[in-house]
């Protein structure tokens, strides 16, 4: 691996210190963060020990810094190239998509509905904002928690004329579930020309997303703010990350950040 990068993976009771490739991805307006791990497995030992539904923990970062940690659950495994195994995992937000809600409410606020649904999923509620409306009637018919939040946003937009395009439901770095149009606290990295900016590909239309490629920013996730300073395009702005993908392999370590206008359709 590249000098200065540290990787520890914990899967199925095993601690693994080498991985030819790891990627971690999170996206605002999506239910789950995801990760993929490619591991050397010439004897098939890892294949036999890893099972779907088991815990996964990835600690990664630069050797001189505290490692970032991503936790989740094994979703699938498959053979990789010769003598390798590939493992896919979903994040701690899994209960938001796995827990089904069947319930009816009268004269209730959307924030109270979402807080109740998050509790049914066994997760802690963090900051749950109020759109300032009351639903005369609201029905969730065997849908998951994330879909319940989207249905609440749809009702706010269609029935009350509110712009909910920037509202999202997500589990923050502390594990608590948030809902609203606000940013995830924490890292506010600076990506600048000559200081971390490898490539910047602006969106080509109003609905597209621009892509920033930089060196690894361990622990950075969607909904966090970063500052982009691109002297070539005369851009100096603080932006909300809508999608973040970390790629670590034997040749490079990169973070790809997508940003742009939010156009959620309800």
């Amino acid at each position: 691996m590249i000098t200065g990068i540290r990787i520890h993976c914990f899967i199925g009771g095993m601690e693994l210190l080498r991985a030819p490739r790891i990627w971690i991805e999170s996206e605002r307006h999506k239910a789950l963060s995801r990760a993929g791990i490619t591991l050397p497995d010439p004897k098939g030992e890892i294949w036999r020990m890893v099972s779907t539904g088991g815990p996964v923990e990835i600690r990664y970062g630069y050797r001189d810094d505290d490692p970032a940690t991503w936790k989740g659950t094994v979703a699938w495994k498959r053979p990789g190239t010769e003598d390798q195994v590939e493992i896919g995992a979903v994040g701690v937000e899994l209960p938001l998509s796995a827990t089904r809600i069947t319930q009816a409410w009268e004269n209730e606020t959307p924030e109270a509905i979402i807080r109740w649904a998050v509790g049914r999923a066994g997760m802690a509620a963090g900051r749950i904002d109020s759109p300032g409306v009351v639903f005369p009637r609201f029905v969730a018919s065997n849908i998951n928690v994330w879909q319940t939040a989207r249905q609440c946003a749809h009702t706010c937009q269609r029935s009350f004329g509110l712009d909910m395009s920037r509202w999202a439901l997500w589990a923050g770095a502390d594990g608590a579930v948030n809902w609203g149009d606000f940013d995830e606290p924490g890292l506010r990295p600076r990506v600048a020309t000559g200081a971390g900016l490898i490539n910047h590909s602006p969106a080509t239309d109003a609905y597209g997303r621009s892509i920033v490629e930089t060196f690894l920013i361990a622990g950075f996730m969607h909904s966090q703010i970063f500052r982009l300073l691109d002297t070539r395009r005369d851009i100096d702005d603080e932006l909300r990350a809508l999608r973040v993908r970390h790629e670590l392999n034997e040749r490079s370590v990169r973070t790809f950040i997508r940003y742009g206008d939010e156009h959620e359709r309800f």
Side-chain angles (χ1 to χ4, degrees):
M1 295 299 291
I2 292 175
T3 301
I5 298 297
R6 172 174 51 190
I7 295 174
H8 283 184
C9 297
F10 300 85
I11 310 172
M14 299 175 289
E15 180 179 3
L16 305 159
L17 305 180
R18 177 175 175 267
R21 180 177 181 238
I22 287 177
W23 59 265
I24 300 170
E25 185 172 275
S26 64
E27 185 170 0
R28 190 174 175 89
H29 305 294
K30 297 293 184 182
L32 294 173
S33 60
R34 302 178 300 126
I37 309 167
T38 300
L39 296 166
D41 191 26
K43 298 181 179 179
E45 296 173 347
I46 296 175
W47 178 273
R48 290 190 293 270
M49 293 186 67
V50 172
S51 58
T52 302
V56 176
E57 182 174 327
I58 303 172
R59 300 176 188 172
Y60 67 104
Y62 297 101
R63 292 191 183 278
D64 294 336
D65 298 329
D66 292 334
T69 300
W70 183 90
K71 295 182 179 181
T73 302
V74 175
W76 52 262
K77 63 178 181 178
R78 66 190 179 202
T81 57
E82 186 177 359
D83 297 333
Q84 291 183 341
V85 60
E86 294 181 358
I87 296 169
V90 293
V92 296
E93 314 90 348
L94 181 59
L96 299 180
S97 61
T99 304
R100 312 297 293 187
I101 303 295
T102 299
Q103 185 73 19
W105 292 265
E106 291 186 357
N107 299 318
E108 190 58 270
T109 63
E111 62 269 25
I113 293 170
I114 292 172
R115 191 176 294 276
W116 179 89
V118 168
R120 283 295 298 268
M123 300 186 71
R127 175 178 166 181
I128 308 292
D129 279 3
S130 170
V133 299
V134 176
F135 295 160
R137 181 168 174 80
F138 183 87
V139 178
S141 300
N142 193 31
I143 57 176
N144 64 36
V145 178
W146 183 72
Q147 291 169 324
T148 301
R150 284 181 61 86
Q151 187 170 312
C152 283
H154 177 272
T155 303
C156 288
Q157 184 152 309
R158 294 297 178 89
S159 301
F160 296 90
L162 303 179
D163 181 4
M164 303 296 290
S165 60
R166 289 171 53 90
W167 285 59
L169 182 83
W170 77 95
D174 60 359
V177 179
N178 304 306
W179 187 60
D181 175 15
F182 55 90
D183 306 315
E184 173 72 13
L187 296 173
R188 297 177 77 94
R190 177 178 181 268
V191 182
T193 301
L197 180 59
I198 298 172
N199 189 40
H200 179 206
S201 301
T204 57
D205 60 74
Y207 290 94
R209 292 180 179 177
S210 302
I211 305 175
V212 170
E213 178 182 357
T214 184
F215 298 105
L216 177 69
I217 307 175
F220 191 63
M221 64 176 287
H222 77 80
S223 299
Q224 289 185 308
I225 296 297
F226 72 103
R227 182 181 177 188
L228 176 62
L229 177 57
D230 184 345
T231 57
R232 179 168 171 251
R233 294 181 172 85
D234 195 26
I235 296 174
D236 185 356
D237 202 0
E238 289 195 332
L239 303 160
R240 176 189 283 172
L242 300 183
R243 180 178 175 182
V244 177
R245 184 180 177 95
H246 305 295
E247 286 267 5
L248 300 87
N249 58 55
E250 294 176 320
R251 296 178 302 278
S252 66
V253 288
R254 297 286 189 267
T255 293
F256 298 88
I257 306 170
R258 294 178 184 259
Y259 72 91
D261 292 336
E262 296 177 61
H263 299 283
E264 274 298 279
R265 297 175 176 85
F266 299 105

